[in-house]
Amino acid sequence: VRDQATISKENATSITLPSSDMLKKSSLRARWLVLSLACVVMTGSYYAYDIPSALHQQLQDYMPQSPHFETQFNLLYTVYSIPNVILPLFGGNIVDRCGAPACLALFAFFTVLGSSFLSVGVAAKSWYIMYIGRFVFGLGGESLCVAQSTILSEWFEGKEVAFAMGVGLAVSRSGSILNNVWSPKIANDARIEAAFWLGASLTGISLFLAGMSIVID
């Protein structure tokens, strides 16, 4: 019969094993590459999200003249917000079931698809196509944040978690800054469609980098 000390030792070992596995992952230098990828993925999303607001005046001049322009314009953000009233809750559940890297790629795909529809709608001067694009974009936009936070919490531990989250938020928001500088310039110097397609292209790069995170993970 095994004594109590032996049993207690085995129980302690079984309890500490999961923590040991996590420490092994968080000790890899690859975690900084994962952080970089997660940041750039979100940067593309934030850039594309803020394009309409940066081109408000240009859109007013470009789209068919209407006394209801402000209502039509504001609906671009309304239809984006509609799915995000509920989806982040389900997004968290999906991330838990399917894994954060795969979900990051899935949500990034929705942003690419939505941005592409939006750009097509701008080229066709169709508010309805633009609304469809913004709605599809909303299916992945906010849930990307859930997937990103989960990935960072898996790859970082202790004090590094807060640091990684801070870096992720700071770098991601640089997409909004770049958009406010680049989009008006591109729309004024070239064409407004080009400004929207640049945003769609950046979300495509984000999708590619999200796929890389799956390989690394």
Side-chain angles (χ1 to χ4, degrees):
V1 179
R2 294 180 298 176
D3 57 22
Q4 188 64 33
T6 303
I7 295 175
S8 299
K9 184 177 180 180
E10 290 178 352
N11 289 339
T13 303
S14 63
I15 292 173
T16 56
L17 276 176
S19 177
S20 177
D21 290 342
M22 290 186 67
L23 283 171
K24 182 179 179 181
K25 191 173 186 179
S26 63
S27 65
L28 297 175
R29 291 183 179 180
R31 70 188 186 278
W32 301 111
L33 177 58
V34 171
L35 174 60
S36 300
L37 293 176
C39 289
V40 177
V41 169
M42 291 301 303
T43 300
S45 174
Y46 278 120
Y47 185 101
Y49 170 78
D50 286 320
I51 291 178
S53 64
L55 299 180
H56 178 275
Q57 185 60 51
Q58 288 85 346
L59 277 173
Q60 188 171 14
D61 297 335
Y62 174 81
M63 297 297 289
Q65 296 301 306
S66 169
H68 306 295
F69 172 79
E70 292 299 333
T71 300
Q72 293 169 325
F73 178 84
N74 290 331
L75 277 174
L76 291 173
Y77 287 89
T78 301
V79 297
Y80 171 89
S81 300
I82 289 173
N84 286 302
V85 174
I86 300 174
L87 270 182
L89 300 176
F90 291 99
N93 190 28
I94 295 172
V95 169
D96 290 337
R97 290 174 176 271
C98 303
C103 289
L104 188 72
L106 174 64
F107 299 142
F109 171 76
F110 281 121
T111 64
V112 176
L113 190 61
S115 296
S116 299
F117 268 109
L118 178 65
S119 301
V120 170
V122 171
K125 296 187 177 183
S126 170
W127 286 108
Y128 295 107
I129 298 177
M130 293 168 68
Y131 295 149
I132 292 173
R134 290 293 284 186
F135 181 85
V136 174
F137 188 93
L139 294 176
E142 298 302 321
S143 296
L144 268 177
C145 299
V146 178
Q148 182 204 43
S149 299
T150 304
I151 288 175
L152 296 182
S153 65
E154 290 176 352
W155 280 86
F156 291 87
E157 279 196 342
K159 296 180 179 179
E160 286 188 347
V161 175
F163 173 76
M165 295 287 185
V167 170
L169 182 59
V171 175
S172 299
R173 277 300 178 183
S174 67
S176 299
I177 298 174
L178 293 174
N179 166 69
N180 290 332
V181 175
W182 289 353
S183 291
K185 182 174 179 57
I186 294 172
N188 293 332
D189 295 347
R191 301 178 63 184
I192 190 172
E193 300 98 313
F196 278 91
W197 278 114
L198 175 59
S201 300
L202 291 177
T203 58
I205 295 174
S206 295
L207 175 59
F208 173 76
L209 297 179
M212 287 184 60
S213 69
I214 297 177
V215 176
I216 295 173
D217 192 73

